[in-house]
Amino acid sequence: SSWVVLQLLSKSLTIIVILNEVKDLKQNMKMKNIYKLVITALMALGLSSCTSFLDMSPTDKVSDKVMWESTTNAEYHVNYLYSYIYDVLMGQCVAGQTEALTDMLKYGSYNYNALCYIPSEIAYGAATTLTAGYVDSYLGYWGSWYTGISKVNKAIVSLRKYGQMSDQDKLRLEAEMKFMRAFLYFDLMKRYKEIIIYDENLDAYAKDKAVSSEAEGWDLIQADLEYAAENLPERTASKGRLDKGMAWGFMTRAMLYAERWDLVKTAAAEVEKLGYALEADYQDGYMKPIGSGNKEAIIQYQFDRANDVTHSYDFYYTPGGDFSINKETGGGYGTPTQEMVESYELATGGFPDWTPWHDVTTETPPYADLEPRFHASVLYNGAPWKGRKIEPYVGGADGWCQWNLEREPKGRTTTGYYLRKMVDESHDVIAYSGGVQPLIVLRYAEVLLNKAEACHKTNDPAGANAAVRAIRDRVGLPYEDVTGDDLWKAIRQERKVELAYEGLWYWDLRRWKVAHKPYPEGLTGYQQHGLKIEKNNDGTFTYTYVSVDDQDRNFPEKMYRFPMPTGELNNNGAVDQYPEWK
């Protein structure tokens, strides 16, 4: 949760579900041998096998001695482990971006596939649909992440056993691996709360092992990140590898979920000391490469067309007209909703009255008056794009498709909008299928908002207000200090809008334990909407408010924890299904 992140993963390939109309992202990206974590870090690609339960049979190989003797060889192996950052970034929901499980995004195809109907089906939350097996299939990554953890643990043991490099390099390499272990365990903890803990003590690996307490899980993550923060170099000395800022920055996210507020504040202060700051331009914060001087990006995954290392984000989210104008089909799989558009304030502060557009009107919506983050995130009727204007109306170049009556939009929008955030306007999707804009994993704006929440929870309104004000100042929005519930509303508003489409909002609502509550506080008892736009003979437009759902959405309380997979239950005699799923 939280790129935005492209979140189209598969349990079998770790990247994307292979369903009839959805292309295999691994094939589209053509990631042959390497990934880049940041500007100079190259990572050997390896597909994690997805087992139903842990493989508890680690073995030492003769090649391990050669692999871990020298710094150069050891770094190559750790680079391979780095690829799990991409896997986790992409592995938030097999069905599509988790924003589609909230009020932010609608996948417009009615076909029963990922990036089509299934995200809506999950959001409807029917008890007959959200069975343990179904939820595990689309939202569970138990086997995949434990496979990665097992590899990390065995690598730590091999480094200690065979490493002949300097003590400094040994500490740094172990710190890199402990960061990776914390990264994987965090994603398990936010899904399952109580998990099986394995560290580098391989003698403790057993076929039958019970889950640990939630506190013990957070203890391990905290300890690993503290070790990483202490022993990793600063960015300027890291040569593109994991660095101290990444450890402290990720600590603010992990300890926010753990509700260890003082640790969040301490880690945020350390990030600030390292020189991170907000970029002057909101869009630069998540789109500008680190190598181009982005001082806001803390963890950023990068790509390289020259080496054929690309991704398919633009193929899925570019406006459909970019394809149809060239007699191709693509784009527009997921589009922003009217609910999300109404979450943005006016550039002068406060919210416009959207009542006229909740019916039928020829009045032009107040898009031009909305704050900069709206214009950086959403493409609307008439918005400038690649030297043309977006035409999301019936018969327009981009087009409009009615939800549930036309099964395949083929690039047309069902909501009257297209996603702009994270989509590369400079990318010629016809000439080059793969995109190369970086995908953001963590940036300083999130650290500030993590700090704001921690300050609020520790009765420090001054600290919380200062962080919120910094976020709003960047985009020219006014702000006056508030306290109590008003402060909490301000923090929540900024998290939603500032971090929109970065894969965090769904997980925020879960960890706050409000997702089961009625909308707009939660995700229950509402439908998503869009605007059907028709061009009139006089050049004006008629806007009609339409639902893009079959039924009200619903978040069952059992979804605050995902079910333990059947494979683990069948093969581990020391575990039982979580109470919510019995």
Side-chain angles (χ1 to χ4, degrees), residues 464-496:
N465 278 304
V468 171
R469 181 179 295 103
I471 295 291
R472 291 174 66 88
D473 280 350
R474 192 242 297 267
V475 291
L477 285 173
Y479 186 71
E480 294 183 4
D481 285 3
V482 288
T483 58
D485 289 342
D486 290 337
L487 177 55
W488 175 239
K489 290 177 183 177
I491 294 169
R492 175 177 163 130
Q493 165 67 15
E494 292 309 310
R495 283 194 74 89
K496 182 176 186 180

Side-chain angles (χ1 to χ4, degrees), residues 38-189:
V38 290
I39 260 315
T40 60
L42 300 179
M43 289 156 280
L45 169 63
L47 295 179
S48 304
S49 62
C50 176
T51 57
S52 298
F53 61 100
L54 270 169
D55 176 5
M56 299 302 182
S57 304
T59 58
D60 289 329
K61 299 177 181 179
V62 175
S63 60
D64 285 350
K65 184 176 185 297
V66 175
M67 177 63 71
W68 292 100
E69 274 185 340
S70 72
T71 298
T72 300
N73 288 349
E75 284 181 345
Y76 181 82
H77 188 78
V78 175
N79 289 347
Y80 164 81
L81 299 175
Y82 276 14
S83 68
Y84 276 102
I85 291 181
Y86 184 84
D87 292 346
V88 172
L89 174 67
M90 309 288 284
Q92 298 304 293
C93 177
V94 171
Q97 291 196 46
T98 53
E99 281 81 0
L101 310 182
T102 74
D103 64 344
M104 285 188 176
L105 189 75
K106 178 68 178 184
Y107 285 108
S109 173
Y110 209 73
N111 290 317
Y112 192 77
N113 287 324
L115 280 73
C116 300
Y117 182 79
I118 293 175
S120 296
E121 182 180 61
I122 295 172
Y124 296 151
T128 53
T129 299
L130 297 185
T131 63
Y134 179 97
V135 173
D136 179 56
S137 294
Y138 290 108
L139 287 159
Y141 289 86
W142 182 279
S144 297
W145 299 168
Y146 270 120
T147 297
I149 289 165
S150 177
K151 290 176 181 178
V152 172
N153 286 335
K154 286 187 282 186
I156 292 173
V157 170
S158 294
L159 172 66
R160 293 175 179 175
K161 182 176 181 180
Y162 300 117
Q164 296 181 23
M165 63 286 293
S166 69
D167 289 343
Q168 183 179 7
D169 277 351
K170 284 184 181 179
L171 287 171
R172 173 180 59 80
L173 288 166
E174 184 163 333
E176 291 182 23
M177 290 188 283
K178 285 189 173 179
F179 176 93
M180 288 306 310
R181 186 168 67 185
F183 197 83
L184 289 163
Y185 268 127
F186 169 77
D187 208 66
L188 287 170
M189 286 292 294

Side-chain angles (χ1 to χ4, degrees), residues 341-396:
V341 170
E342 295 181 20
S343 297
Y344 291 95
E345 294 181 56
L346 295 164
T348 53
F351 295 90
D353 179 7
W354 284 94
T355 303
W357 294 275
H358 290 181
D359 196 354
V360 181
T361 182
T362 57
E363 189 175 348
T364 302
Y367 302 134
D369 299 326
L370 297 179
E371 58 130 311
R373 291 176 295 188
F374 166 75
H375 294 280
S377 303
V378 179
L379 289 169
Y380 54 90
N381 187 30
W385 177 256
K386 294 187 178 181
R388 66 182 183 92
K389 292 185 177 181
I390 293 294
E391 299 181 358
Y393 50 82
V394 177

Side-chain angles (χ1 to χ4, degrees), residues 25-35 43-47 76 80 304-310:
L25 184 57
K26 280 286 186 184
Q27 293 175 354
N28 286 335
M29 294 177 69
K30 298 178 182 177
M31 291 187 174
K32 299 177 180 178
N33 298 314
I34 60 172
Y35 282 129
M43 289 156 280
L45 169 63
L47 295 179
Y76 181 82
Y80 164 81
D304 185 351
R305 183 166 283 122
N307 286 302
D308 205 17
V309 181
T310 62

Side-chain angles (χ1 to χ4, degrees), residues 390-404:
I390 293 294
E391 299 181 358
Y393 50 82
V394 177
D398 298 287
W400 183 82
C401 174
Q402 185 168 342
W403 164 254
N404 83 16

